[in-house]
Amino acid sequence: MQINIGGIDRTLRILVGLVLIGLAATGTVGWWGWLGVIPLVTGAIGWCPPYALFGFSTCATNNKA
């Protein structure tokens, strides 16, 4: 598994995940709020399966010549 999620993407995923889980835990939204676990986990580990499948990455590249 190679990291394919950059810093800003990771931060946003973690924040969205935490907000959704918080809203679900307080009963503000329905059961679907627990789906916030997905962006939380992908942001925490830095790897997204759909990104890998389609060859997409939001990581910065080091182009040293």
Side-chain angles (χ1 to χ4, degrees):
M1 258 184 348
Q2 185 177 2
I3 293 176
N4 61 4
I5 299 175
I8 295 172
D9 193 2
R10 287 181 86 164
T11 303
L12 289 175
R13 285 172 185 257
I14 291 170
L15 287 175
V16 167
L18 289 173
V19 167
L20 283 174
I21 292 169
L23 290 172
T26 59
T28 306
V29 297
W31 64 268
W32 62 269
W34 292 105
L35 292 174
V37 169
I38 296 169
L40 180 63
V41 169
T42 59
I45 64 173
W47 184 72
C48 178
Y51 278 14
L53 182 67
F54 295 113
F56 189 71
S57 177
T58 58
C59 289
T61 58
N62 293 329
N63 292 331
K64 294 182 179 179

